[in-house]
Amino acid sequence: MDRRLNLTGWAFLAPAAVLIVLVNFVPMIQAFILSLQSGRGTNLNFADPLWYNYQRLFGDEIFKQTLVNTFIYLIIQVPIMLILAMILANLLNNPNLKAKAFWRTAIFLPAAVSLVSYSLVFRTIFATDGFMNDFLALFSVPPVNWLGEPETARFVLILGLLWRWTGYNMIFFLAGLQNVDRSTLEAARIDGANAFQTFWRVTVPQLKPIILLTAILSTNGTLQLFDESWNLTKGGPAYASMSMSHYLYEVSFQRNPNFGYGAALSYVILILVAILAFIQLRVGDKRD
Amino acid sequence: MTKTSTLRAAPGYAFLGIWTLFSLFPLYFMVVGSTNTSQDVLGSRLIPGGAFFENLAKLFKAQDVGSALFSSFFIAVGTTVLALIVCSIAGYGFEVYHSKGKDRVMAVILLAMMIPFAATMIPLFQVFAKLGLVNSLWAVIIPAISTPLLILLFRQSSRAFPSEILEAARMDGLNELSIFARIYVPTMRATFAAAGVITFMTAWNNFLWPRVILIKNEVQTMPMLISNLSAGYVTDYGVLMLAVLIASLPAMVVFLVLQRAFADGIVGAIK
């Protein structure tokens, strides 16, 4: 290519690339250095041993609890959400469906609501003297202390995540379905496959790239869960529903800020994101 | 024939109906709650009440809603405008002047997608503190301007941009920047709308980073304001639902107005 045009291309790309390096890669490296330091506030020195903060994490019961919580959300919520999103997208993709625009808007709308807003609405609905208990009372179910018990608090948080993100993921599947070859669906029908078989054996395999994309994005999002933990359950009762990022915030910016320890904790999140993405990419490749 | 096909479609409609009910109920609860007193919200009154203006007065008395709305709008609009400029020109530049070296840079940019914000938050705070930008709205905008997802979106849609137009424009003596601004931008409306909706909603709804960097109450954003409302010992649920509604409306309106273009833009990017 023309040298002048090549340089123009670089000039167009440069601002974005420089910004990404400055706000992502540089801080990422700084965080690693920080994770090897200890001390309070700005008075930081290299720790002895260097991996002291990481060592400390393994003995931190609260950290372990938040790690377990995050994995509970990940393992239960992400698969359910992606399956629901795929089913909804498949239903919406039916050419004979009536009022398509209405269904699509209604199902996507939660994704336009801020995480803090919906967390507070769910918190109100699931208050001890709130709507959900009044509703259950109609069926003579005794009131449940939704946000006061570990299991129910996690349940409400998972329900909230499903509410907020299923429609969002559905949009990706809906876009992916545009690329599914209609003739393959026809062929399956002629061969006598029922709707479920067609969906599972013909449609789903063709959606694989989208499944991979949404799985990685959702895993990434769940590992960084903060707003819901902070606003919906406040991490409670005690630390029973707190996410890792919520604990990271507490360690780094509340009471006695400890940047070194916080940075170590943030690196655990970074490493988990990397490992899980790697596994998902591997599994995604294998099925070919 | 029609009867059996209707019958076959019934479970599908039932499923869509149930999910739609589940989707819309919390939103309905929020809207109705904003017109009811705290007692009525907890008492599960599901019809509109007459306490809307009373809630509004209480909310404005308790919190500086005006300044929170200003902060949120400033951040959301500022981020959207800057992100659209920086990322569209990058995606276009990458695709139209494609070269091996740029492929490598793009690979690095995409790698940044895997870096969780959590892992950059503490050093970012330290840097912005050093620059004296704690409590500055720019500190919220700057890290959100250049995002791999947006660059990817613009790169993908630039593939559909015909090179004949490019050649013709060059023949006419247009320089490269004018080709981008005068020809590319107007033809990529759907992509800009999709990118704009995503960026505006993300910026408007952002909570963790503003919480870290905006410490003073005078500069707090709407999500921070409503979060603080529920943190007190006594929560007025009518006021809370109203505040939540106000905090949600702008992003929802942006989405509803641009949703057609948003869907087209996403489809264009995934193809």
Side-chain angles (χ1 to χ4, degrees):
Chain A
M1 196 197 316
D2 190 315
R3 198 179 136 75
R4 191 181 57 85
L5 288 182
N6 188 24
L7 282 176
T8 309
W10 280 113
F12 282 6
L13 196 53
V18 168
L19 262 172
I20 283 191
V21 169
L22 286 182
V23 303
N24 289 291
F25 289 101
V26 172
M28 183 182 89
I29 293 161
Q30 286 174 320
F32 180 68
I33 297 168
L34 206 52
S35 76
L36 304 176
Q37 298 180 327
S38 67
R40 298 277 164 179
T42 48
N43 184 22
L44 290 161
N45 292 300
F46 279 101
D48 180 32
L50 269 182
W51 54 88
Y52 169 76
N53 286 321
Y54 293 95
Q55 212 169 28
R56 194 181 143 193
L57 275 175
F58 286 105
D60 184 340
E61 291 305 321
I62 302 172
F63 166 69
K64 285 185 202 162
Q65 174 75 62
T66 60
L67 184 69
V68 169
N69 292 341
T70 305
F71 271 87
I72 290 175
Y73 301 145
L74 195 65
I75 291 165
I76 297 179
Q77 191 260 337
V78 174
I80 294 178
M81 172 181 70
L82 294 186
I83 290 169
L84 283 169
M86 244 187 295
I87 293 172
L88 287 166
N90 203 49
L91 288 171
L92 280 187
N93 199 44
N94 178 356
N96 301 320
L97 185 78
K98 294 190 179 75
K100 197 176 283 184
F102 165 75
W103 300 116
R104 195 187 52 216
T105 306
I107 293 168
F108 184 80
L109 208 51
V113 179
S114 92
L115 305 180
V116 182
S117 292
Y118 98 77
S119 294
L120 295 175
V121 173
F122 269 65
R123 188 177 170 77
T124 307
I125 290 175
F126 285 94
T128 2
D129 44 1
F131 171 80
M132 192 42 77
N133 280 337
D134 286 349
F135 179 71
L136 290 177
L138 297 178
F139 308 97
S140 314
V141 177
V144 179
N145 187 4
W146 294 102
L147 302 174
E149 300 292 335
E151 286 79 20
T152 48
R154 291 187 202 121
F155 167 79
V156 173
L157 205 144
I158 289 174
L159 195 70
L161 289 171
L162 286 174
W163 181 83
R164 175 61 169 71
W165 294 104
T166 304
Y168 175 84
N169 283 290
M170 180 195 74
I171 295 288
F172 287 93
F173 286 116
L174 214 45
L177 282 172
Q178 312 299 312
N179 300 337
V180 169
D181 193 349
R182 283 228 164 260
S183 65
T184 60
L185 301 179
E186 278 301 312
R189 230 187 41 172
I190 290 164
D191 286 348
N194 63 32
F196 176 77
Q197 287 170 322
T198 312
F199 174 66
W200 190 246
R201 296 275 170 80
V202 182
T203 310
V204 171
Q206 294 189 65
L207 285 176
K208 213 186 66 183
I210 310 289
I211 297 174
L212 194 62
L213 174 76
T214 51
I216 290 177
L217 288 176
S218 310
T219 304
N220 209 329
T222 310
L223 286 172
Q224 298 189 67
L225 186 77
F226 174 77
D227 299 16
E228 289 89 342
S229 178
W230 180 273
N231 291 294
L232 175 51
T233 63
K234 317 246 179 217
Y239 294 93
S241 68
M242 188 180 278
S243 68
M244 290 170 81
S245 289
H246 186 165
Y247 187 49
L248 166 65
Y249 179 84
E250 290 222 325
V251 168
S252 315
F253 297 107
Q254 291 206 299
R255 292 190 287 269
N256 275 318
N258 188 336
F259 284 169
Y261 192 50
L265 176 47
S266 78
Y267 252 68
V268 174
I269 298 177
L270 178 102
I271 290 163
L272 286 174
V273 166
I275 292 175
L276 290 174
F278 181 74
I279 292 173
Q280 284 165 336
L281 284 170
R282 262 304 177 73
V283 172
D285 269 347
K286 253 199 197 128
R287 285 198 192 142
D288 260 337
Chain B
M1 182 63 206
T2 38
K3 207 162 195 184
T4 50
S5 69
T6 322
L7 220 73
R8 201 176 292 154
Y13 279 105
F15 190 73
L16 282 176
I18 291 169
W19 193 270
T20 299
L21 210 63
F22 175 56
S23 274
L24 296 182
F25 179 74
L27 299 173
Y28 179 77
F29 188 88
M30 164 177 85
V31 174
V32 169
S34 70
T35 68
N36 280 316
T37 61
S38 186
Q39 244 180 337
D40 281 342
V41 173
L42 286 182
S44 304
R45 185 186 152 106
L46 291 180
I47 47 171
F52 180 80
F53 291 104
E54 192 189 318
N55 288 339
L56 201 64
K58 275 192 202 158
L59 173 63
F60 275 78
K61 210 177 144 204
Q63 295 277 341
D64 192 349
V65 182
S67 91
L69 279 173
F70 173 80
S71 295
S72 280
F73 268 109
F74 187 85
I75 290 168
V77 173
T79 306
T80 307
V81 170
L82 290 171
L84 287 185
I85 296 172
V86 169
C87 297
S88 67
I89 207 163
Y92 173 85
F94 174 83
E95 195 58 38
V96 172
Y97 313 98
H98 188 255
S99 68
K100 277 237 168 80
K102 294 194 192 78
D103 266 341
R104 272 180 224 123
V105 171
M106 187 54 88
V108 173
I109 287 177
L110 292 182
L111 202 62
M113 233 196 292
M114 298 316 300
I115 303 175
F117 178 71
T120 59
M121 180 171 75
I122 301 171
L124 274 181
F125 175 78
Q126 291 178 313
V127 168
F128 281 112
K130 238 177 238 159
L131 295 171
L133 287 173
V134 172
N135 290 319
S136 161
L137 300 179
W138 289 105
V140 183
I141 295 176
I142 293 166
I145 293 173
S146 184
T147 58
L149 184 73
L150 239 54
I151 298 171
L152 196 65
L153 194 69
F154 281 107
R155 187 193 82 173
Q156 293 296 99
S157 58
S158 299
R159 289 202 170 143
F161 191 63
S163 57
E164 299 85 52
I165 294 186
L166 216 70
E167 295 302 328
R170 279 180 193 143
M171 297 284 232
D172 287 348
L174 270 151
N175 69 40
E176 299 299 314
L177 196 61
S178 330
I179 296 176
F180 169 77
R182 308 231 301 257
I183 302 176
Y184 172 82
V185 173
T187 52
M188 294 292 159
R189 281 214 193 96
T191 310
F192 276 92
V197 172
I198 294 170
T199 312
F200 186 91
M201 292 201 305
T202 312
W204 180 272
N205 296 335
N206 196 0
F207 179 62
L208 174 55
W209 177 237
R211 240 205 101 79
V212 169
I213 199 78
L214 303 178
I215 298 163
K216 276 197 305 198
N217 263 344
E218 295 84 75
V219 285
Q220 70 177 345
T221 62
M222 271 316 278
M224 291 164 76
L225 183 146
I226 57 175
S227 177
N228 289 342
L229 264 186
S230 79
Y233 287 103
V234 188
T235 307
D236 184 316
Y237 288 98
V239 173
L240 181 65
M241 289 302 105
L242 176 64
V244 165
L245 176 67
I246 296 174
S248 304
L249 268 182
M252 287 172 82
V253 168
V254 166
F255 165 70
L256 286 173
V257 170
L258 292 173
Q259 75 159 313
R260 185 83 248 170
F262 171 74
D264 290 346
I266 297 285
V267 170
I270 283 183
K271 270 183 182 161

